[in-house]
Amino acid sequence: MKTILTFILTGCCFIVFSQTSQLLQIQAANNNSHPRYGVDINNKLFFVSGKTYQQSFWKSDGTSVGTTVIAAASGTGPSPQFNNIKTIFPFGTKALLIAAPTAASFDQELWVSDGTSAGTFRLADIYPGSSGSNISNIKVVTFGGVTKALFSAYSPTDGQELWITDGTIAGTQLLKNINSSSASSNPFGFEQLGTNVLFFANDGTNGIELWKTDGTTAGTVLLKDIYSGITNSVDQGISKIIALGTYAFLNVKDGTNGVNFALYRTDGTTAGTQTLGPSYPNPANLTAFNNKLFFTNNYGSYTNLLYVDDGTGFPIFVNYYTGGTNVLNAEQLTPTANRLYLISKWLNGEARLYCIESYAPSLARDTRDINTGTADPFPIDASKRKLTPTDNDKVYFFANDGTSGTELWISGGDYVSTNRVTDAVSGSNGGDYSYLKTVGSRLFFVVNNASNQYDCYQTNDGATPTLVKNYTPALNISNLYPIAKVGSYLYFSAYNATSGYELYRTDGTTNSLVKDIETSVFNTNNSNFHPTINATNSQGLFFISNDGKNGLELWKTNGKQTGTSLFFEFNKYPTPEGLSAPNTSYDYYTTSTVFVNMYAYNDKIYIVTSDGVWVTDGINPPTKLITNYKLTNAATNFFNVMGGLVYFTVVNELWKTDGTVAGTTRIGVVDPLYEGDYNSIVGLELVNNKLYFLGYHYTYGQELFVSDGATISLVKDAQTGNNSASDLNKIRRVGNNLYYVLYNNSTGFELYKSDGTSVNTTLLKTFGFDSYAPSYLSNFNDTHLVFSGGDLTTGEELWKSDGTAVGTVMVKDIFPGNDSSSPINNTNRGQFSFYNGNVLFTANKGSGRGLFKSDLTAAGTDSVTSISTFDALATNTGVYFTTSFPSTGNEPYKVETDGASVRNVGDVIAGSSNSNPINMVASNGLIYMKTYDASFREFIHVFKMCKNEEVLSGTITSNSTTEAIDAVKTSAIVNSSITQNLLAKKYIQLNPGFRTSTNTIFSAKIGGCVYSTTTP
């Protein structure tokens, strides 16, 4: 017999085990400043920067020292209007700002700034108090050679009216209350004509009509009631004023030609405001070019393009250069310095790009037949159909040539200069373009490639695009967002792994960091490492995290640093252009996904986001099963399994799926008459092959419903009539019975029991109005319901029910009298934990919160140890929680039986400093948690889970390793050719009966229950 025996006892030898518990630092980069919406003010960039509810205005001359925050001398404000991307307006050498005194305030008013503290102040508190005045339609004009601005603003006394400012407090005033008293005239469409400004407004008598102002109250008058009487002559979505020389043109209704619009011309006088006649019906697309007004007339099935070039002449038709016929269905009229570009769609549906030269205004030249045949090659999406002009008389645009999909093109107005710039996505799919910014002849844009990876590119005069991030590789930047042109530079935001999203600029060949505005460390976010889910096919733990670049997205880990990575990015760079605020309250550019819930079954993971439900096997990217925008939080979504299918809820809808798109179907809604109802289904409990839940029906109120997988039906109208829905109403299965809470409009909260039939659905107890509604409904050994509840006499305490009224009682008044011990446990989504036949919860018995256990008897309900969180995670190795000791600070601990069994899991921050662990989760023998350092940066740490003591007996028939925190005791027989390793931190005890066999490899070492995230 050959036995290799190695055992190390206490006091003999010690093996040093290296432990590295840090798995991941959440967003290792500094905080992001997220520079965004900017405007060129006197050759400086004025822009918005900062996280949601922490934004500021900044200015930059392109240098770090010249990039400074804009702050009022008073020390209060201005703070940008967080729900509006357009908050900065050029005003001579200054800027007008829509801002509030403090972040997250709704008191947005008009401010002015020259970039200095002394020159930054609020112009007026138009709506006194905490509300904003709805500043809109800002237009910079001149009166008597003085630069001023007209705008619309709301006050409770005057309504939405016409205001004026010269950039001083004294010069900011109500110009005229056009619609008397508190009614609103809603002025808009301001256009300077000589010494006057024309605009549209409603005085309450004449409807929306043409007005003018010379900047004085007396000189603000109705120019003409074009459509006599109260009827509006103006349609806000169609009507427009265009000034040309000493005349202005507008398209309005006058009532003389049915509902058609007419083209009017005005010299600023009532007598000089006249129609050009009925021959030009429904003028639209009014565009000024080369001192001429171009517009389209609508004849029903088609439109013609015309222009008029003086105050007395009549419109002239524009013809095709080659065909001699009138230009049809012109749209997207886009002027450059010497050319007018437009799209013309023929009667057969074919559309082409045309160009009108300034020297030949009546002729439109075809550039190129981009997609031969009768196709319209331009995007249907209006935002993508627009033409983008350059400073060298060219336009960039999107078109589909029938081969390459919708891609970027350029035209100089003729065949030779009209070409595709790039085929971003090879094949017929086309690219997804956004963030177009021109600088001279250069165009910057963001687009994806064939691998659906997005980047920022530049093309110069239509040349092959180049990656902007590669101009200066040493900067190591990515995720570029063009902001604004200032001089010959493009300013943009970009991400760097050290500095986060910060401000950069480029001259088209070299990039430079303008300033690292936000240098503080990353702040916390409750959504990191929550929710989490264990895959059922050994693919590891899936969790939510933010790396600072991609936002909150789905990650995956096997417990090792090398095995921890971003699994899938649901919302990818770039953030959709034009967002007024991020899609979460997190960071602006990080495209965070809002995660609602996750569920694992049969080797699949179901992921619920704010826009739908997805599924993945944990290896391949998720597939979207349904799109639904009603989902907002975990209370709107529940899962369960019946008959091998996964059932889930989407607010008031019940669905089922086999994990495929084709196999995902909606069963129905609680109340078919109210499809759009937002009263959520509560719970999804399986009893006798049926699913039960609480649902709201507009006839019955919130009651117990059942589904057999095909239909939804009411179990019983337990509270006759339409009782109220409540967020406190819950449901839980115990054995083959259901316990649920309803709110009775007459008696308050009530606890019910049901076996799924109407006859056996009964009221157990009425807790009343002045009570603590039953919560944390938990299944105790399939025999009892245990929950937290109570009244004003006992306070909130631990209760139980055996399914009878007499057996629904308080277990123990832990905090005697009418004070509450408030039993809770936040670990198990609204349920208590269970360990060794006891229910585990945290409660306060009057001396602070502690971890309690209960066998549902008063004598068996007592404190186990103190605890500093509301979480207690029960596992097969003990109960894990967070508490504080002077020697370790607030760190992770575990307990098995009583206070003597408490052990420190790990001192994350050595010494007495606190790591404050939360969101503990067990996975494959490991315990994961989120922790904090002194700067509140977030980390994920992981430790091995072990019992305090392991006792082995019997026969060991397979290779094994047994670890314990304190000791391993063995009297086992180790079979031949077996390798057994025993590890413990204190001692290993070989008891009588222990023996090894032939070719046994036995190892006993001091130093067990140690884990490293860095070793293989």
Side-chain angles (χ1 to χ4, degrees):
M1 179 178 74
K2 180 179 180 181
T3 299
I4 302 174
L5 179 62
T6 304
F7 59 93
I8 302 175
L9 301 177
T10 303
C12 172
C13 303
F14 293 91
I15 306 298
V16 178
F17 292 86
S18 174
Q19 174 157 297
T20 302
S21 64
Q22 181 176 319
L23 180 70
L24 178 70
Q25 179 178 350
I26 298 172
Q27 189 173 334
N30 287 340
N31 258 326
N32 303 304
S33 74
H34 297 301
R36 47 196 182 275
Y37 179 74
V39 174
D40 184 350
I41 306 288
N42 200 28
N43 208 35
K44 291 183 176 64
L45 179 72
F46 279 57
F47 63 100
V48 174
S49 181
K51 298 191 300 181
T52 305
Y53 305 122
Q54 298 178 24
Q55 310 98 314
S56 299
F57 290 103
W58 286 71
K59 70 167 185 178
S60 178
D61 62 2
T63 68
S64 179
V65 68
T67 302
T68 57
V69 68
I70 298 173
S74 65
T76 303
S79 181
Q81 186 179 12
F82 64 87
N83 63 346
N84 187 345
I85 62 171
K86 195 168 185 180
T87 57
I88 309 171
F89 303 86
F91 185 60
T93 60
K94 301 177 182 180
L96 294 175
L97 313 172
I98 299 176
T102 58
S105 169
F106 290 93
D107 186 16
Q108 289 94 24
E109 298 285 359
L110 192 64
W111 293 57
V112 69
S113 179
D114 61 2
T116 68
S117 294
T120 302
F121 49 86
R122 186 170 66 180
L123 291 170
D125 189 7
I126 296 172
Y127 194 145
S130 59
S131 297
S133 61
N134 191 34
I135 305 292
S136 58
N137 301 321
I138 295 174
K139 177 73 172 183
V140 178
V141 297
T142 58
F143 292 117
V146 179
T147 299
K148 297 188 178 184
L150 295 173
F151 60 98
S152 173
Y154 179 84
S155 73
T157 55
D158 300 316
Q160 191 81 26
E161 288 296 343
L162 179 63
W163 284 69
I164 191 170
T165 184
D166 61 2
T168 68
I169 293 175
T172 303
Q173 54 193 306
L174 176 67
L175 184 54
K176 187 165 187 171
N177 188 355
I178 294 172
N179 199 337
S180 59
S181 71
S182 60
S184 298
S185 69
N186 298 306
F188 69 97
F190 302 112
E191 180 80 351
Q192 182 106 37
L193 179 64
T195 59
N196 291 298
V197 173
L198 307 180
F199 63 98
F200 299 125
N202 187 346
D203 63 4
T205 301
N206 299 293
I208 307 175
E209 293 294 344
L210 181 65
W211 285 66
K212 72 173 181 179
T213 181
D214 61 1
T216 68
T217 301
T220 302
V221 296
L222 175 67
L223 181 54
K224 187 168 186 174
D225 185 10
I226 296 174
Y227 200 134
S228 181
I230 191 62
T231 307
N232 301 327
S233 70
V234 174
D235 186 311
Q236 192 163 354
I238 298 175
S239 300
K240 191 175 183 181
I241 306 171
I242 298 290
L244 287 174
T246 58
Y247 289 87
F249 296 86
L250 57 150
N251 52 336
V252 290
K253 293 181 288 186
D254 58 14
T256 62
N257 194 21
V259 296
N260 288 343
F261 284 78
L263 186 64
Y264 269 69
R265 178 167 48 207
T266 181
D267 61 3
T269 68
T270 302
T273 304
Q274 300 291 333
T275 179
L276 272 67
S279 300
Y280 315 103
N282 292 319
N285 297 304
L286 276 63
T287 304
F289 169 64
N290 194 31
N291 295 318
K292 298 173 179 61
L293 176 75
F294 286 78
F295 64 96
T296 58
N297 276 350
N298 191 325
Y299 294 96
S301 60
Y302 65 93
T303 68
N304 282 145
L305 180 64
L306 304 92
Y307 74 91
V308 60
D309 63 357
D310 57 45
T312 58
F314 288 94
I316 299 171
F317 283 94
V318 179
N319 295 326
Y320 293 118
Y321 189 83
T322 54
T325 58
N326 302 149
V327 172
L328 296 171
N329 303 318
E331 58 171 301
Q332 308 300 331
L333 278 63
T334 304
T336 63
N338 298 295
R339 295 187 178 114
L340 178 66
Y341 291 86
L342 59 100
I343 294 172
S344 173
K345 192 168 186 177
W346 300 355
L347 296 180
N348 65 359
E350 182 177 355
R352 295 189 185 184
L353 179 70
Y354 286 83
C355 171
I356 298 172
E357 299 284 356
S358 59
Y359 56 79
S362 62
L363 295 176
R365 181 174 59 225
D366 183 7
T367 58
R368 178 188 285 261
D369 185 3
I370 294 172
N371 193 334
T372 56
T374 60
D376 180 349
F378 305 102
I380 297 175
D381 183 348
S383 65
K384 302 288 187 180
R385 201 171 174 91
K386 294 179 179 178
L387 312 178
T388 302
T390 69
D391 290 346
N392 64 338
D393 274 335
K394 295 184 179 182
V395 290
Y396 290 98
F397 60 97
F398 300 117
N400 184 342
D401 61 6
T403 302
S404 304
T406 300
E407 295 289 358
L408 181 65
W409 288 65
I410 189 173
S411 178
D414 56 21
Y415 180 89
V416 174
S417 63
T418 303
N419 297 287
R420 191 183 68 211
V421 175
T422 182
D423 187 8
V425 180
S426 299
S428 60
N429 290 326
D432 178 22
Y433 293 81
S434 60
Y435 291 92
L436 276 65
K437 299 291 181 183
T438 58
V439 180
S441 61
R442 293 174 283 146
L443 177 72
F444 294 84
F445 57 93
V446 175
V447 71
N448 58 327
N449 58 21
S451 300
N452 206 33
Q453 299 299 311
Y454 287 78
D455 261 307
C456 182
Y457 295 82
Q458 177 200 200
T459 177
N460 192 352
D461 206 22
T464 301
T466 54
L467 278 169
V468 179
K469 67 182 181 183
N470 290 344
Y471 296 162
T472 309
L475 290 175
N476 194 25
I477 56 177
S478 58
N479 287 19
L480 280 65
Y481 288 94
I483 297 175
K485 167 188 176 294
V486 178
S488 60
Y489 288 92
L490 175 79
Y491 284 75
F492 61 92
S493 169
Y495 177 81
N496 172 272
T498 300
S499 57
Y501 282 96
E502 294 297 342
L503 184 65
Y504 295 79
R505 73 174 185 173
T506 183
D507 61 4
T509 58
T510 303
N511 302 330
S512 60
L513 172 67
V514 176
K515 189 181 184 74
D516 185 359
I517 293 172
E518 181 59 81
T519 57
S520 64
V521 298
F522 165 65
N523 288 334
T524 61
N525 184 277
N526 291 335
S527 296
N528 279 314
F529 206 61
H530 180 77
T532 58
I533 193 72
N534 278 308
T536 57
N537 56 353
S538 301
Q539 285 303 311
L541 179 72
F542 289 76
F543 61 96
I544 311 306
S545 185
N546 173 31
D547 60 4
K549 176 181 179 181
N550 301 298
L552 291 164
E553 295 295 347
L554 185 63
W555 286 61
K556 173 182 175 181
T557 183
N558 62 0
K560 300 294 183 179
Q561 291 183 11
T562 55
T564 303
S565 61
L566 177 67
F567 177 70
F568 187 75
E569 190 179 359
F570 292 85
N571 288 312
K572 298 177 182 293
Y573 159 81
T575 294
E577 191 172 11
L579 275 184
S580 60
N583 56 353
T584 70
S585 60
Y586 200 46
D587 280 345
Y588 191 82
Y589 284 129
T590 48
T591 61
S592 292
T593 296
V594 178
F595 290 90
V596 175
N597 198 8
M598 291 196 288
Y599 182 79
Y601 172 72
N602 198 24
D603 294 343
K604 289 185 173 68
I605 298 172
Y606 296 85
I607 304 141
V608 184
T609 69
S610 59
D611 69 346
V613 180
W614 307 65
V615 66
T616 177
D617 59 3
I619 303 170
N620 298 298
T623 298
K624 198 171 193 181
L625 296 177
I626 66 167
T627 296
N628 195 306
Y629 295 97
K630 295 168 67 174
L631 294 155
T632 56
N633 56 61
T636 62
N637 173 248
F638 294 87
F639 278 89
N640 211 326
V641 173
M642 182 172 71
L645 296 178
V646 172
Y647 289 75
F648 61 92
T649 66
V650 176
V651 188
N652 66 330
E653 305 172 14
L654 180 62
W655 291 71
K656 64 181 177 181
T657 182
D658 62 2
T660 68
V661 175
T664 301
T665 57
R666 195 181 81 150
I667 297 169
V669 297
V670 176
D671 192 338
L673 295 179
Y674 294 89
E675 283 276 346
D677 180 34
Y678 270 79
N679 286 299
S680 295
I681 288 173
V682 177
L684 205 55
E685 298 290 325
L686 180 65
V687 175
N688 295 326
N689 295 317
K690 292 183 179 180
L691 289 168
Y692 294 85
F693 53 88
L694 300 183
Y696 185 82
H697 193 286
Y698 279 79
T699 300
Y700 310 114
Q702 192 166 36
E703 294 288 353
L704 181 65
F705 285 80
V706 63
S707 177
D708 58 3
T711 61
I712 295 172
S713 59
L714 176 71
V715 174
K716 183 178 183 177
D717 187 7
Q719 295 180 357
T720 306
N722 189 343
N723 61 297
S724 300
S726 171
D727 291 339
L728 299 178
N729 293 349
K730 306 296 179 186
I731 183 171
R732 186 70 59 213
R733 180 196 66 83
V734 178
N736 288 323
N737 291 305
L738 299 149
Y739 293 78
Y740 61 97
V741 180
L742 294 180
Y743 181 80
N744 189 307
N745 296 339
S746 300
T747 59
F749 289 101
E750 297 179 335
L751 179 65
Y752 288 82
K753 173 200 168 186
S754 176
D755 65 358
T757 66
S758 176
V759 67
N760 289 323
T761 299
T762 58
L763 172 66
L764 295 178
K765 183 175 178 60
T766 298
F767 282 82
F769 293 109
D770 297 327
S771 66
Y772 297 92
S775 61
Y776 292 93
L777 275 62
S778 303
N779 180 353
F780 186 85
N781 293 335
D782 268 347
T783 62
H784 285 78
L785 176 76
V786 58
F787 59 96
S788 177
D791 54 33
L792 296 182
T793 302
T794 63
E796 187 177 23
E797 297 294 344
L798 187 69
W799 283 64
K800 68 179 179 180
S801 177
D802 62 2
T804 66
V806 69
T808 303
V809 295
M810 181 176 66
V811 176
K812 183 176 182 178
D813 192 1
I814 296 172
F815 197 148
N818 59 5
D819 291 307
S820 296
S821 68
S822 303
I824 60 175
N825 188 354
N826 291 341
T827 299
N828 294 334
R829 191 178 175 184
Q831 298 183 68
F832 294 131
S833 294
F834 298 91
Y835 182 71
N836 280 352
N838 290 288
V839 58
L840 275 292
F841 56 94
T842 76
N844 182 7
K845 64 178 181 180
S847 56
R849 188 158 289 274
L851 177 64
F852 281 71
K853 67 177 181 180
S854 175
D855 61 4
L856 300 195
T857 68
T861 302
D862 203 0
S863 172
V864 178
T865 184
S866 63
I867 190 170
S868 57
T869 68
F870 299 105
D871 303 310
L873 177 64
T875 72
N876 60 3
T877 63
V879 180
Y880 291 79
F881 59 94
T882 298
T883 195
S884 181
F885 287 95
S887 59
T888 63
N890 199 34
E891 295 291 353
Y893 282 80
K894 61 158 286 193
V895 65
E896 294 184 5
T897 55
D898 53 25
S901 68
V902 173
R903 300 289 184 271
N904 176 233
V905 175
D907 193 5
V908 176
I909 302 179
S912 60
S913 297
N914 303 317
S915 72
N916 300 313
I918 61 171
N919 299 347
M920 290 184 180
V921 59
S923 175
N924 296 324
L926 301 173
I927 180 92
Y928 295 78
M929 63 199 70
K930 183 171 74 170
T931 67
Y932 303 86
D933 68 5
S935 300
F936 296 101
R937 290 178 296 190
E938 297 178 319
F939 300 82
I940 298 173
H941 280 259
V942 58
F943 298 92
K944 185 175 290 187
M945 295 193 305
C946 303
K947 290 184 177 180
N948 292 354
E949 181 178 288
E950 289 280 5
V951 178
L952 304 178
S953 60
T955 302
I956 308 299
T957 60
S958 60
N959 296 338
S960 63
T961 297
T962 301
E963 299 185 57
I965 294 177
D966 294 341
V968 177
K969 300 176 182 179
T970 179
S971 58
I973 299 171
V974 185
N975 270 1
S976 61
S977 302
I978 295 299
T979 298
Q980 185 183 39
N981 300 310
L982 305 183
L983 299 97
K985 289 185 177 180
K986 292 184 178 179
Y987 65 93
I988 294 171
Q989 182 174 307
L990 308 182
N991 292 329
F994 167 78
R995 73 170 186 267
T996 59
S997 305
T998 305
N999 295 325
T1000 297
I1001 300 177
F1002 176 81
S1003 173
K1005 298 179 181 178
I1006 300 299
C1009 203
V1010 174
Y1011 184 78
S1012 175
T1013 60
T1014 58
T1015 58

